Amino acid sequence: ALREAAALCGIAIEDGASCQWADFSSHDWDALLEGSDPFRRVSCFYTRAGLVRKAMLAHYLQKRKRQAAKTGANLEVDVLPVGFVVDIQDEEDLGSLRAQLLESARKSPPTPGHPVWVAKASASNRGENLFIAHSVEQVLEAMRPPALEGGIVEWVVQRYIAPPMLIEGRKFHIRAHFVATGCPYCGTARAWLHRKHHAVLVATAPYSGASQDRLEHLTNHCVQVQHPEYDERRQIRALDELDGALGRPGLAGLVLGRMQEALAEALAAAAAAPVGFAPLPQCFELLGADFTLEDRGADRPPGVWLLEVNAGPDLEIFGTRLRHRCVELLRDTLRLAVEPYLCEAAPSKFSSDTADCTCASGAAASSAGFVGERCLWAAAPRAASAAEELAGFKRRVGIAGRWARALHEGSGVVV
């Protein structure tokens, strides 16, 4: 699909090119960190755990909300479901979690007839170490083996969003796509939500709130394809097909706006801690964000809740019927984050006129297929040039590495 997208843009794919599109582990990070190629551009951020690691994102969003409350500001957007970030290493930790969950349920009683809790290992994906529970004891029992025997320490435990909106009686979630990109010309980092190409992933089995069947609750593509009755035409929809599927005109546009608000908050929270999210001017990345919808009645807009942000999103979720949308998404990403930077080397100093930089153009973003009225998020550079930004980043990485090594050596663990 990427080759087709590049061909649509007139971009040649060559081995050894300065611009690389690859998985994180396949990138030549030494070449980037060396900083000798002013045309160097790669399709991943080196540091983005604060955005894509579940516990870190939840932590930074909670911190942002607390800081806003101290200043009297009111963050109107609730991004993640109510929940807790916890480290589980022993029975005492499980006991503390039990007390937190019981107190939460006392203050806000769960919706009858539905699951109550979702427990997720912070670094998990593809539905691994993700548990649906109808009670506090059930969630603790599910977490105990992977935490105490498997050594998985970092967890997020959240309220199950109930009742969920259903398509033909089946639960679904939305995989939204957005691009974060650094600019080598002015140094500003920005993020843009695609206007159209988001997938609606529908469960194969009908929803029953009382059921323990993971295939009714987990709508991940990789989970659902295991069902013997999986049918791509029913299980994979496009966001702009949501209105017709639910008989609610205008719903897709409303959801798009709410996703924009939630992602803006998530990016701002993650970026407040550069140790967890540090976009470099030489980098860009296509990311996927999962949202679930809470059914609040036919006369009210649904609740739109962010579940997680994914690096390297699986584009196979578009399937065969919507494959052309996958190609168009990649084409639009190239137009936004690659094409403008192919022919001109990064300057020795960032331009001070950031408002007129090519990266700031909402019209350009819109013509490339993204929501161009305003970007999701923007951050000014921390240095005067791309080279200085890279040097500062290497210093921070070195300090973090030495600190981590000191911790390991102090604990007697061999590094």
Side-chain angles (χ1 to χ4, degrees):
L2 181 59
R3 291 185 179 276
E4 293 178 43
L8 291 173
C9 295
I11 297 175
I13 295 181
E14 301 174 354
D15 292 339
S18 292
C19 180
Q20 296 182 336
W21 189 314
D23 293 334
F24 184 93
S25 59
S26 300
H27 277 300
D28 186 352
W29 291 107
D30 289 338
L32 172 68
L33 296 174
E34 184 182 84
S36 60
D37 184 354
F39 289 95
R40 176 65 60 178
R41 197 154 179 81
V42 300
S43 66
C44 296
F45 292 116
Y46 193 88
T47 303
R48 73 286 213 242
L51 187 64
V52 303
R53 197 175 177 101
K54 299 174 185 66
M56 290 182 74
L57 179 58
H59 168 74
Y60 291 135
L61 278 165
Q62 290 171 1
K63 185 175 181 180
R64 178 172 168 82
K65 199 164 188 175
R66 288 195 302 270
Q67 290 174 338
K70 288 180 181 178
T71 62
N74 180 28
L75 294 182
E76 297 180 357
V77 179
D78 286 322
V79 179
L80 298 174
V82 171
F84 305 92
V85 178
V86 293
D87 286 352
I88 302 296
Q89 300 183 67
D90 51 36
E91 288 291 343
E92 183 179 350
D93 293 334
L94 285 172
S96 297
L97 176 59
R98 176 187 288 107
Q100 289 179 294
L101 299 183
L102 289 172
E103 178 64 12
S104 174
R106 185 189 68 79
K107 290 181 177 179
S108 178
T111 304
H114 298 275
V116 181
W117 301 106
V118 180
K120 300 181 282 189
S122 181
S124 66
N125 54 33
R126 302 178 66 84
E128 298 171 345
N129 291 305
L130 192 158
F131 306 108
I132 309 295
H134 289 73
S135 68
V136 170
E137 292 307 318
Q138 198 175 70
V139 75
L140 297 175
E141 286 304 310
M143 293 172 63
R144 183 173 278 107
L148 303 191
E149 299 170 20
I152 298 176
V153 173
E154 195 175 61
W155 293 82
V156 175
V157 183
Q158 296 171 325
R159 278 295 182 93
Y160 187 99
I161 296 301
M165 291 200 77
L166 306 176
I167 292 178
E168 298 173 357
R170 292 164 171 81
K171 189 180 174 185
F172 65 91
H173 82 271
I174 298 167
R175 165 62 61 83
H177 295 100
F178 67 101
V179 171
T181 177
C183 177
Y185 301 151
C186 75
T188 304
R190 302 180 191 274
W192 305 85
L193 179 65
H194 201 274
R195 185 180 300 278
K196 185 177 180 181
H197 295 324
H198 313 294
V200 177
L201 303 177
V202 186
T204 308
Y207 177 79
S208 168
S211 172
Q212 302 282 350
D213 186 354
R214 283 168 57 89
L215 290 171
E216 294 183 21
H217 300 287
L218 303 187
T219 49
N220 309 53
H221 175 255
C222 60
V223 173
Q224 289 299 319
V225 293
Q226 301 172 19
H227 197 288
E229 296 179 11
Y230 178 83
D231 181 352
E232 180 189 296
R233 293 169 299 175
R234 296 184 63 183
Q235 268 59 71
I236 303 177
R237 318 281 182 105
L239 179 63
D240 52 21
E241 297 173 333
L242 193 61
D243 294 10
L246 293 173
R248 296 183 62 167
L251 180 63
L254 183 149
V255 169
L256 187 70
R258 290 300 309 276
M259 293 194 303
Q260 176 117 347
E261 294 172 352
L263 287 172
E265 285 295 322
L267 284 158
V275 68
F277 182 53
L280 291 170
Q282 300 89 343
C283 302
F284 69 96
E285 187 157 2
L286 172 65
L287 298 136
D290 291 338
F291 288 87
T292 190
L293 304 189
E294 177 186 4
D295 190 349
R296 295 176 174 173
D299 58 341
R300 294 180 61 197
V304 180
W305 298 94
L306 175 64
L307 300 177
E308 63 185 29
V309 177
N310 301 274
D314 180 9
L315 299 181
E316 290 186 6
I317 61 168
F318 284 100
T320 302
R321 183 177 73 90
L322 300 179
R323 187 179 184 280
H324 66 285
R325 292 180 180 254
C326 172
V327 174
E328 290 173 5
L329 173 64
L330 293 172
R331 176 203 64 192
D332 295 345
T333 301
L334 290 171
R335 286 177 174 174
L336 177 76
V338 175
E339 267 191 337
Y341 311 107
L342 286 177
C343 300
E344 187 176 341
S348 58
K349 295 290 182 182
F350 287 140
S351 168
S352 59
D353 193 3
T354 58
D356 289 333
C357 184
T358 182
C359 73
S361 173
S366 182
S367 66
F370 293 82
V371 179
E373 290 77 8
R374 60 184 175 91
C375 63
L376 287 172
W377 160 86
R382 298 194 270 298
S385 70
E388 289 183 24
E389 188 90 36
L390 194 60
F393 173 75
K394 287 193 288 186
R395 284 195 299 272
R396 293 192 297 274
V397 170
I399 291 170
R402 290 191 294 273
W403 175 74
R405 184 179 183 89
L407 285 180
H408 279 287
E409 290 176 344
S411 65
V413 177
V414 178
V415 180

